[in-house]
Amino acid sequence: MSSRRQFLATATAALGLGALSACNKKEEATASASAAKQETIHWKMVTSWPANFPGLGTGASRIAEYINTLSGGRITVKVYAAGELVGALEVFDAVSAGTAQLGHSGAYYWKGKSRAAQFFSSVPFGLTAQEMNAWLFYGDGMKLWEETYKPFGLIPGAGGNSGTQMGGWFNKEINSVADFKGLKMRMPGLGGEVIQRLGAIPVNLPGGEIFTALQSGAIDATEWVGPYNDQAFGLYKAAKNYYAPGWHEPGTTMECMMNEKAYSDLPADLQAIVKAAIRLVNHDMLAEYTARNQSALHELESQHGVKVKSFPDDVLRELKKLSDAVLDEEAAKDPLSQKVWASQKAFRDAVAPWTAVAEGAIIHARNL
Ligand code: CA
């Protein structure tokens, strides 16, 4: 103890001011805590979506709004559309580097960073939205996703779901697997790989270029999302055969990733608020898609002459067989992908009988 501090301590004790001094310290501590409370934290969220893009972009904005409101304004989140701060496919790197604290996107875009990432959005003949949430939150899914993103300084979050997508728009009917031969179809990712094995030519085009490509005949078919988003793109003007189901994306999970350092710097209550806001929109987005898809589907059929069709069973059987082969081969390329796919595949095979006797049976019964 320095002589000055010793002197002050002695003097304080001698004057009977110990209690007063402690009281001052307490007030100072309270004052600085409330100053810290009032200090606003400014976060950025980069996204892979055009501004206010229905479902995906609006979902991302709702996460920001919930964080702002639930935190009483202690965190403000500014949302950036694709290209405003970073490009659509630079979201992962931007959040990893801390340029933004949050990123709203789809994990299958990051296959080039870590192959295992693609199993956390949707895979051909994989999990439905409900099953995906079951695997993520009550199976090993989230733990494995955290393991996959940890090396990049990222914490993953499930940030929405499109629900079951549509199989796509075709300018001719699909009556057998032979109809895929030579078919130029916009279908990115693993689904594209599967149709390639049927002799199709998969094409990867960004959303904004799909309509023109389909209308000009540069492609014969395309998948996009479902009635809500597909109607907005006007795809019904370029092709009339609208096929179900979206076997390649049975329930696509969106993501809201966080920069690990930014998250760990938050006090515990704000951490809980950020996670809760993301979790809220994870469920909310599915409700939005379900509500909007049904009205858009009705309009497409009743006002735009769209013919909704199902792929024949033997086509789906072949697609499933090829999908399982593609997935097994893809997963075998590295140990983490192998571990993630093994977990998800086992979960799918275990949950399928339950879904069949629950959702499957009631849907069948309701349509009798
Ligand atoms: Ca899609």
Side-chain angles (χ1 to χ4, degrees):
M1 203 182 262
S2 74
S3 58
R4 182 177 144 78
R5 282 170 70 192
Q6 196 162 23
F7 167 78
L8 284 174
T10 312
T12 307
L15 294 168
L17 297 176
L20 185 61
S21 163
C23 184
N24 283 343
K25 271 187 198 147
K26 202 171 156 192
E27 274 174 20
E28 275 167 31
T30 311
S32 79
S34 90
K37 251 186 196 169
Q38 279 158 14
E39 188 191 321
T40 306
I41 298 163
H42 298 284
W43 271 16
K44 293 176 183 142
M45 182 197 285
V46 287
T47 75
S48 298
W49 328 118
N52 297 314
F53 188 78
L56 309 178
T58 50
S61 298
R62 273 204 299 279
I63 293 177
E65 281 166 30
Y66 284 134
I67 294 174
N68 295 349
T69 311
L70 292 171
S71 71
R74 287 160 64 203
I75 312 186
T76 67
V77 180
K78 183 165 166 40
V79 181
Y80 293 86
E84 281 183 353
L85 191 62
V86 298
L89 300 182
E90 290 164 351
V91 167
F92 188 95
D93 283 342
V95 182
S96 175
T99 307
Q101 292 73 29
L102 295 169
H104 200 269
S105 188
Y108 48 18
Y109 294 138
W110 319 125
K111 166 187 172 173
K113 305 285 172 192
S114 175
R115 190 184 312 279
Q118 59 193 326
F119 295 97
F120 299 103
S121 48
S122 192
V123 300
F125 293 93
L127 303 172
T128 64
Q130 188 157 317
E131 293 167 346
M132 190 69 181
N133 284 325
W135 177 62
L136 287 173
F137 297 110
Y138 291 92
D140 292 333
M142 194 46 81
K143 210 175 64 194
L144 291 165
W145 200 353
E146 284 164 0
E147 185 181 335
T148 303
Y149 278 18
K150 195 161 180 55
F152 303 92
L154 293 168
I155 299 173
N161 201 299
S162 67
T164 304
Q165 299 202 356
M166 284 295 284
W169 300 84
F170 294 76
N171 62 14
K172 60 167 195 174
E173 286 190 3
I174 298 293
N175 295 313
S176 73
V177 288
D179 291 321
F180 277 94
K181 204 160 177 56
L183 186 84
K184 278 179 278 167
M185 179 168 189
R186 185 266 179 192
M187 184 173 271
L190 295 166
E193 180 104 18
V194 172
I195 59 168
Q196 191 165 25
R197 295 190 185 192
L198 287 178
I201 303 147
V203 178
N204 194 358
L205 285 175
E209 292 174 28
I210 296 176
F211 175 75
T212 314
L214 188 61
Q215 200 178 37
S216 70
I219 54 173
D220 308 309
T222 184
E223 72 83 50
W224 177 225
V225 184
Y228 181 30
N229 291 142
D230 296 5
Q231 186 187 32
F233 268 12
L235 298 177
Y236 58 88
K237 294 177 201 158
K240 292 292 180 201
N241 299 302
Y242 197 22
Y243 272 89
W247 55 272
H248 61 301
E249 291 187 77
T252 307
T253 294
M254 305 304 149
E255 66 179 355
C256 187
M257 61 177 102
M258 295 182 278
N259 177 279
E260 192 177 25
K261 167 83 171 61
Y263 177 78
S264 62
D265 283 349
L266 293 178
D269 61 334
L270 290 184
Q271 287 182 341
I273 283 169
V274 169
K275 282 208 166 169
I278 295 170
R279 183 88 176 245
L280 193 53
V281 170
N282 187 45
H283 296 280
D284 192 52
M285 189 188 290
L286 180 62
E288 182 186 5
Y289 267 108
T290 305
R292 303 285 178 257
N293 276 331
Q294 59 85 17
S295 51
L297 183 67
H298 177 71
E299 278 179 32
L300 287 169
E301 286 187 282
S302 63
Q303 294 172 27
H304 302 299
V306 169
K307 297 187 196 99
V308 176
K309 296 177 176 173
S310 299
F311 292 115
D313 284 354
D314 57 340
V315 168
L316 290 169
R317 237 174 254 123
E318 187 62 20
L319 287 168
K320 179 167 187 297
K321 200 176 82 188
L322 291 171
S323 295
D324 280 355
V326 164
L327 282 159
D328 288 344
E329 286 168 31
E330 188 69 8
K333 290 176 185 168
D334 71 81
L336 184 57
S337 297
Q338 185 89 50
K339 186 160 84 165
V340 173
W341 174 230
S343 166
Q344 193 182 97
K345 191 180 186 182
F347 195 91
R348 178 193 70 180
D349 295 346
V351 82
W354 163 242
T355 302
V357 298
E359 251 81 18
I362 187 59
I363 289 164
H364 171 74
R366 218 166 49 179
N367 291 328
L368 285 174

